[in-house]
Amino acid sequence: GLGLGTTITFASSHWLLAWMGLEMNTLAIIPIMAHLHHPRAVEATTKYFLTQATAAAMLLFASTTNAWLTGQWDIQQMTHPLPVTMITLALALKIGLAPLHSWLPEVLQGLDLTTGLILSTWQKLAPFALLLQIYPANSTLLIILGLLSTLVGGWGGLNQTQLRKILAYSSIAHLGWMILILQFSPSLTLLALLTYLVMTFSTFLVFKLNKSTNINTLAISWAKMPALTSLTPLILLSL
């Protein structure tokens, strides 16, 4: 379901299909998130579902409005500023760009590391593909979203001891940089996305091996796995 949803969004040139892919993505990850049956996990799943459903509804509304105003459903030819703005905000909510970011640290904190990894990597791909296709139409909004995200991500991560929340803020900051660069060089944005995916992947896997969810467990992991512990700051600093 996860793979199919993303693939559908990637392959579609029609807004309805793109929306369908995003919905499939959301619905496929819900049971993965809630499978622990822990109150924290269920709460995180509910928060995630509500934000994603809101974003998807916004996207559907905006694309319908676009079809109504311009008479076509094509993703490539977004000309009218109103639907473009709405769709950009919907996608920003989907991937957690500031000022629409506040659900992301909360949700990530309530999940286990494997699900958190899927959420931070795979779930960003489909909305990002859509942003890449409509970016020429709304540069001012994207610059504002990008700047805010880099600031919020940088400041938010400073005050944390919970690793998953730090990773959530790191995700916000990285996406901010990507969105900022998007209007000037889309290929550079894709490169940044790729490096972000690789580094986030390795970070989550290190934390999973260490079974660490806060900084204290990282600090005492030296006795258990010295090689991995010396790798950890390298990965974290590369982020």
Side-chain angles (χ1 to χ4, degrees):
L2 277 179
L4 190 61
T6 304
T7 314
I8 287 178
T9 304
F10 273 5
S12 62
S13 59
H14 191 288
W15 274 116
L16 266 182
L17 267 177
W19 166 79
M20 210 168 77
L22 291 172
E23 282 289 295
M24 283 175 68
N25 242 357
T26 303
L27 291 176
I29 201 171
I30 293 295
I32 302 176
M33 291 166 91
H35 77 275
L36 286 174
H37 299 303
H38 190 275
R40 285 297 297 274
V42 175
E43 181 190 348
T45 311
T46 311
K47 285 177 180 170
Y48 182 75
F49 176 72
L50 289 174
T51 52
Q52 297 300 309
T54 309
M58 255 175 90
L59 187 106
L60 188 59
F61 175 60
S63 47
T64 315
T65 310
N66 184 55
W68 180 49
L69 291 169
T70 63
Q72 43 96 16
W73 284 92
D74 205 52
I75 292 178
Q76 301 287 347
Q77 298 165 2
M78 293 291 291
T79 45
H80 203 286
L82 178 71
V84 169
T85 305
M86 280 201 297
I87 283 175
T88 307
L89 286 172
L91 292 171
L93 178 59
K94 261 203 174 300
I95 55 178
L97 285 169
L100 308 162
H101 66 282
S102 40
W103 60 273
L104 184 60
E106 294 296 320
V107 167
L108 209 56
Q109 185 56 31
L111 303 174
D112 65 318
L113 288 165
T114 320
T115 319
L117 174 62
I118 301 174
L119 190 68
S120 315
T121 53
W122 187 255
Q123 293 298 88
K124 303 249 190 287
L125 295 178
F128 218 88
L130 293 176
L131 273 173
L132 268 171
Q133 290 178 72
I134 62 164
Y135 76 88
N138 52 355
S139 46
T140 321
L141 178 62
L142 284 180
I143 289 178
I144 293 169
L145 287 172
L147 274 175
L148 262 174
S149 299
T150 50
L151 291 171
V152 164
W155 278 330
L158 286 178
N159 207 16
Q160 295 294 336
T161 56
Q162 296 292 341
L163 292 177
R164 284 166 295 187
K165 279 196 177 173
I166 292 180
L167 282 169
Y169 282 112
S170 123
S171 165
I172 296 166
H174 277 87
L175 285 167
W177 286 116
M178 286 176 224
I179 293 299
L180 212 47
I181 293 171
L182 183 56
Q183 304 107 67
F184 312 109
S185 168
S187 49
L188 207 58
T189 292
L190 279 175
L191 183 66
L193 181 64
L194 192 66
T195 43
Y196 165 75
L197 293 181
V198 172
M199 294 186 303
T200 305
F201 215 83
S202 39
T203 315
F204 268 101
L205 291 184
V206 163
F207 292 167
K208 201 174 158 50
L209 274 171
N210 268 332
K211 295 187 178 61
S212 54
T213 53
N214 59 33
I215 289 182
N216 293 345
T217 38
L218 271 190
I220 57 170
S221 63
W222 181 253
K224 286 190 294 183
M225 316 176 180
L228 193 65
T229 311
S230 41
L231 265 179
T232 310
L234 270 180
I235 297 174
L236 283 176
L237 285 171
S238 72
L239 264 177

